[in-house]
């Protein structure tokens, strides 16, 4: 089969592993910079050009679209979809997951466990918003944040109000969520491929940091999820329409609560923690469906 991967940095571990997994199974794969693709939007004959040439028709496209280029990246992916190329993740599903507020609303509608979350535009209601999630401490998140950036723990109501008002003054959209104290600075990531959890790890933040992201210095260990966690991860992926994703959960007293669903999850930390060939599972999914 012939694949194409949309990726700005082909040297990232995740991208190299996907290429290796594809070629080792006898496939060919082109890696192209998403921002260097341009489109010819013509009735009945949609084309894409790259490096002065028209791209061929591929069997499948693997989108690894960074959050900072979501809008253009999804436009390119839609053009591939209009050509009939099978996407590892559909553009509509990626768009759902990248809009954190929409993703939480969709998950909540289907009864997925979530931290109590509040969203408001008026900074004068900041104290009401904090009280809505159970008071301080509470977590304040930028809607556009990634890899733990733009996530703040407000220890007091006064500090939460100051942070909310500062972001509102800068016209930056935020969410306010309850602080799950019993999680103890750890979270769980389930890697879902084709409706199955193929690997899972527990991430623990470095001392003094409540964020557990590996990019922020956290540590990871492979784990086995309990049945409720597995069901939650698979269902969350299904609700958002994602074939491949990382579902991040906290272990709360009331059960697993989903904090984020990542449509372009990194592979390095998961493979290092679990020893599982995650990249290979993605290629095998394409072999079955593309």
């Amino acid at each position: 089969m012939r694949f194409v991967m949309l990726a700005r940095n082909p040297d990232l571990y995740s991208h190299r592993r996907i290429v290796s997994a594809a070629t080792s199974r006898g496939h060919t794969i082109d890696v192209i910079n998403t921002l260097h693709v341009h489109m010819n939007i013509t009735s009945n004959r949609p084309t894409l050009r790259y490096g002065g040439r028209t791209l061929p028709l591929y069997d499948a496209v693997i989108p690894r679209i960074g959050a900072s280029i979501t809008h253009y990246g999804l436009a390119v992916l839609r053009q591939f979809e209009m050509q009939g190329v099978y996407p590892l993740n559909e553009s509509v599903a990626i768009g759902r997951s990248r809009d954190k507020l929409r993703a939480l609303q969709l998950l909540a509608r289907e009864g997925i466990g979530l931290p109590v979350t509040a969203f408001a535009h008026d900074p004068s209601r900041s104290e009401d918003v904090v009280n809505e999630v159970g008071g301080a401490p509470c977590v304040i998140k930028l809607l556009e944040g990634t890899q733990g950036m733009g996530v703040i723990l407000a220890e007091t109501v006064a500090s939460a109000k100051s942070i909310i008002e500062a972001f509102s003054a800068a016209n930056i959209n935020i969410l306010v969520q309850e602080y799950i104290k019993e999680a103890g600075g750890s979270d769980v990531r389930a890697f879902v491929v084709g409706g199955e959890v193929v690997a899972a790890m527990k991430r623990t933040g470095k001392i003094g940091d409540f964020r557990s992201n590996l990019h922020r210095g956290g540590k990871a260990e492979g784990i086995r999820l309990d049945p409720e966690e597995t069901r939650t991860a698979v269902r969350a992926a299904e609700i958002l329409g994602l074939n491949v994703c990382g579902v991040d959960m906290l272990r709360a007293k009331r059960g697993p609560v989903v904090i984020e669903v990542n449509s372009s999850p990194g592979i390095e930390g998961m493979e290092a923690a679990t020893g599982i060939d995650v990249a290979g599972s993605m290629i095998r999914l394409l072999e079955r469906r593309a």
Side-chain angles (χ1 to χ4, degrees), residues 32-45:
I32 61 177
N33 188 321
T34 315
L35 293 181
H36 294 173
V37 178
H38 66 273
M39 296 161 277
N40 184 335
I41 304 171
T42 305
S43 296
N44 301 320
R45 196 167 51 85

Side-chain angles (χ1 to χ4, degrees), residues 215-283:
H215 288 88
R216 309 260 68 80
K219 302 201 181 299
E221 59 178 318
I223 60 168
R224 186 181 297 275
L225 300 182
D226 67 34
E228 186 179 5
E229 290 168 338
T230 300
R231 285 193 299 271
T232 297
V234 170
R235 184 71 181 122
E238 180 184 15
I239 291 166
L240 296 183
L242 293 165
N243 293 323
V244 172
C245 62
V247 181
D248 296 340
M249 299 176 283
L250 297 177
R251 287 173 161 169
K253 291 176 182 177
R254 60 182 182 269
V257 295
V258 174
I259 53 174
E260 188 170 359
V261 180
N262 190 324
S263 60
S264 189
I267 294 173
E268 184 172 12
M270 185 65 77
E271 290 194 337
T274 65
I276 293 172
D277 179 15
V278 173
S281 68
M282 296 162 67
I283 298 302

Side-chain angles (χ1 to χ4, degrees), residues 110-131:
E110 300 298 326
I112 296 295
L114 301 171
V116 177
T117 302
F119 178 77
H121 182 71
D122 184 358
S124 68
R125 313 303 302 176
S126 57
E127 188 167 350
D128 292 341
V129 170
V130 174
N131 290 334

